[in-house]
Amino acid sequence: MPSLPPLLGARRAPTDPSGETAQDDSGAFDAALDDAELRTARTALAQGRRQAARSLLVHTGDDWDRRGHRLTVLAQDPYAAAWASGWLAAEPGSADATALLALALVHRALRGKEEPDRAREACDRAAALAPADPTPWLGRLLLARALGPEHEVLAAFTELCRRHPEHHHAHHLLIARLAERPAGGRFEAHEVYDLAELAAAEAPADSPLAVLPVVAYAERYRVLVATGLAPADPAASGHWSGPRARRILRACFDWWLEWEHDEHPRRHVDLNHLAFALSCAGRPAEAAALFQRIGDHATPAPWAYAHPDPRAAFHTARTRALGQ
């Protein structure tokens, strides 16, 4: 991500924090996505057996996007803090257990079950224990994106990207926050689009950050709907019909055709954003190819941005695209 200008002190859009793949009460959305090893470790941890999670994180090593994804998913369980505390009691000084505890406290704070300052302190302890690991800073960024001032968002993002410049989740969180800045000027003119396109252009050719401009459009649409500046019906909004939107969609779809990464831990997040945008733009044939790749791995964002029932929005769009 390029250097950012000073934040504008924008009024926050009255929406829930975005940019995550959470599991809803029905179990229809699973944050683990297609990571079978992660699902196995999560089940074992829920049964009080930590060895699978321990081995999972050891073998993940310094694949930072995958480590962040796996720790975040494990940490979302309501009992994750207790699991991590027990793990630390058995293995004092474990960087993996410390990071899991930090992320677990972050998610508790996001649910209003923990003091944010305690979660920040836990992230700081994890960062001190493993200075090269960007994951504790992902915890700080999750907190700042939802609860903190804008300078805290930039500070956490900067520290995280010093350790992993192409961090996928971090860029999505930052774009979600920047989309909440007030717009000025003509239609399709917003700095979040400029920054997303610049970040995509500066990343390596095969980087999934190529899809970031589509994410920016979805996040901006979320803000416009929440503030009453766009209709909740995406087709009626015209949001994806402008020349810039059409160019971005074409470029991102072409990138996917050439560079799709089957091994990236969060690729289904990108696939859902692309399928959503193409569906909203009235391009069902291209959306159909993406729905085929998504399979059962739908994500709440961005489907929740246009409909109170994201599962219904996803299934309606998929049925229309696939002609079922």
Side-chain angles (χ1 to χ4, degrees), residues 1 65 161 164-169 171 203-204 206-209 264:
M1 172 67 74
D65 276 336
C161 286
H164 181 37
E166 295 173 54
H167 200 286
H168 188 270
H169 197 169
H171 280 80
D206 63 344
S207 171
L209 295 185
H264 194 275

Side-chain angles (χ1 to χ4, degrees), residues 65-184:
D65 276 336
R66 193 172 304 278
R67 178 175 172 82
H69 172 63
R70 287 174 163 175
L71 275 166
T72 299
V73 171
L74 292 174
Q76 286 176 13
D77 190 282
Y79 297 100
W83 300 337
S85 296
W87 184 356
L88 269 175
E91 298 181 35
S94 166
D96 290 341
T98 303
L100 177 58
L101 178 59
L103 269 292
L105 294 178
V106 164
H107 283 283
R108 283 181 57 81
L110 295 177
R111 294 192 293 266
K113 303 292 186 181
E114 184 62 72
E115 287 296 325
D117 283 346
R118 184 169 179 239
R120 292 185 187 97
E121 291 167 3
C123 289
D124 291 345
R125 286 194 297 273
L129 200 58
D133 185 3
T135 312
W137 292 100
L138 177 61
R140 289 293 302 257
L141 182 58
L142 283 163
L143 276 173
R145 186 266 173 275
L147 305 175
E150 290 172 319
H151 68 82
E152 191 175 306
V153 175
L154 285 186
F157 180 81
T158 299
E159 288 294 335
L160 192 157
C161 286
R162 283 181 52 212
R163 293 154 174 85
H164 181 37
E166 295 173 54
H167 200 286
H168 188 270
H169 197 169
H171 280 80
H172 279 233
L173 290 167
L174 182 67
I175 288 298
R177 183 65 180 260
L178 295 181
E180 295 168 3
R181 290 174 169 180

